[in-house]
Amino acid sequence: MIQITGTTKLLGVIGDPIAHSLSPVIHNAAISTLDLDYIYLPFPIAATELKTAIAGFAAVGLEGFSVTIPHKQAIIPLLSHIDEIAEAVGAVNTVWHTEAGWQGTNTDVAGFTSPLINLQDLSRLNPVILGNGGAARAVVYGLYQLGCSKINVFGRNKHKLATFRDSWSGSAVEECLTVRGWEELDSYLSQTNLVVNTTPVGMHPHQDESPLMRQQIDLLPPQAIAYDLIYTPRPTKFLKEAGMRDLQTIDGLEMLVQQGAAALKIWLQKDSVPVDVMRTALEKYLAERGK
Ligand code: NAP
């Protein structure tokens, strides 16, 4: 149990809406286990109130906070410094306070790569990324960090795909990245060893949908890994069908837990936090709600 006293330090998450956020579940489980004098709270902040809210956070001495939709890009000009990861991704999901002001990073990248880093021969990954939205940016940068030299991103909107590609121009990622229309997908599925779904297709309550048809999943080689960023339901239809083919599957829960763990390490200035506790708390919470 967390006991709030006059000395309790504040952490939190900002977004709009924020009621669905699972971050309070993850972080307060860790805080409670570590018996720390902290509390992690949800803050619903409208886009028009972002600047005022950040100034208020500084005034009340908030130590750090998570950032979710719609503030991940808008917060950047309000921070004193962002690191090279946030700079490359173009979005911040974790902010902490220092004497020099608010600092920002993006722990979605570490969250995404954490289930992959124990794979052998990471540079041989030949990934296919489905979707070119915000999460795809963290995925592309994570794969670049892992040493992938060929990253194919597939999208349904040519204009948005071109904007996505152009946003990396001049960076080291540009060399590795190719964007392609959805109609080209099938010929790449038969050659890939990692498919990452970054679209919301298949997410609760649309669990009967999948970004890939069964015939497309059948194209994947036997050694391919199917990775879905969605964490409700578990598994998604995409992962269920990949599992039926005995492909290795990874769902989005680990990414969610690991991005949170990476943020908590920054706020607490610790090398390790109880990731197992965070994961178990989240699994229990989702199971209790039938998700
Ligand atoms: P986003 O910025 O809205 O991007 C969604 C992408 O999916 C866009 O490229 C969109 O294409 C595409 N898309 C949507 N519906 C599609 C369809 N029917 N067919 C093909 N493409 C489609 O969303 P996001 O923030 O990247 O989030 C995407 C998913 O990742 C969500 O399910 C989210 O929950 C999950 N996620 C998980 C974690 C985690 O920690 N596990 C972290 C971040 C995000 P258009 O632009 O053409 O619409």
Side-chain angles (χ1 to χ4, degrees):
M1 267 295 280
I2 296 175
Q3 186 172 28
I4 301 175
T5 69
T7 59
T8 302
K9 299 185 190 80
L10 273 177
L11 297 169
V13 54
I14 63 167
D16 185 23
I18 202 62
H20 66 284
S21 174
L22 298 168
S23 295
V25 175
I26 301 173
H27 289 294
N28 286 318
I31 288 168
S32 175
T33 295
L34 293 169
D35 201 18
L36 298 173
D37 192 11
Y38 276 86
I39 184 90
Y40 182 102
L41 296 172
F43 296 105
I45 309 289
T48 49
E49 297 301 324
L50 187 59
K51 194 172 176 185
T52 311
I54 306 310
F57 284 168
V60 299
L62 204 94
E63 302 233 326
F65 56 95
S66 312
V67 184
T68 188
I69 294 167
H71 304 312
K72 285 184 169 191
Q73 288 90 31
I75 190 122
I76 292 174
L78 304 175
L79 305 176
S80 304
H81 176 76
I82 62 170
D83 69 5
E84 65 176 56
I85 301 172
E87 185 88 51
V89 175
V92 161
N93 80 334
T94 301
V95 173
W96 67 102
H97 202 257
T98 69
E99 280 179 9
W102 295 112
Q103 317 282 312
T105 187
N106 192 312
T107 64
D108 282 336
V109 176
F112 166 73
T113 55
S114 75
L116 299 174
I117 46 183
N118 291 328
L119 296 176
Q120 287 189 336
D121 236 352
L122 286 166
S123 60
R124 287 193 185 215
L125 282 177
N126 175 20
V128 160
I129 316 301
L130 308 175
N132 51 278
R137 299 191 63 81
V139 168
V140 165
Y141 195 68
L143 290 168
Y144 163 76
Q145 276 189 333
L146 292 178
C148 289
S149 54
K150 270 196 284 177
I151 305 170
N152 287 299
V153 171
F154 291 81
R156 59 181 177 175
N157 180 315
K158 293 272 160 62
H159 175 70
K160 287 184 184 175
L161 270 174
T163 305
F164 185 88
R165 184 200 55 222
D166 293 348
S167 71
W168 299 97
S169 72
S171 79
V173 175
E174 185 184 18
E175 306 275 298
C176 320
L177 179 69
T178 311
V179 298
R180 301 181 188 278
W182 210 260
E183 67 287 350
E184 287 189 70
L185 190 52
D186 288 9
S187 54
Y188 285 85
L189 289 176
S190 56
Q191 302 163 38
T192 188
N193 50 14
L194 175 67
V195 186
V196 187
N197 176 35
T198 77
T199 80
V201 182
M203 190 164 74
H204 177 84
H206 302 290
Q207 50 263 53
D208 295 336
E209 297 175 6
S210 169
L212 294 185
M213 290 180 293
R214 181 61 208 244
Q215 304 90 291
Q216 291 179 303
I217 292 174
D218 286 343
L219 294 173
L220 294 167
Q223 73 279 13
I225 300 169
Y227 192 152
D228 200 333
L229 263 50
I230 295 173
Y231 43 84
T232 56
R234 298 176 72 211
T236 54
K237 186 178 180 193
F238 165 46
L239 293 192
K240 218 183 280 175
E241 292 188 339
M244 283 177 200
R245 275 210 47 213
D246 287 332
L247 303 183
Q248 186 182 337
T249 61
I250 303 172
D251 67 42
L253 188 123
E254 194 61 16
M255 174 173 172
L256 184 63
V257 170
Q258 294 286 353
Q259 63 77 28
L264 195 59
K265 284 182 200 170
I266 293 171
W267 297 323
L268 302 179
Q269 295 176 40
K270 281 181 179 287
D271 292 334
S272 71
V273 292
V275 180
D276 291 349
V277 169
M278 298 166 92
R279 186 186 301 111
T280 304
L282 183 56
E283 286 173 340
K284 181 166 174 281
Y285 180 87
L286 291 173
E288 282 169 359
R289 278 147 192 85
K291 289 186 179 170

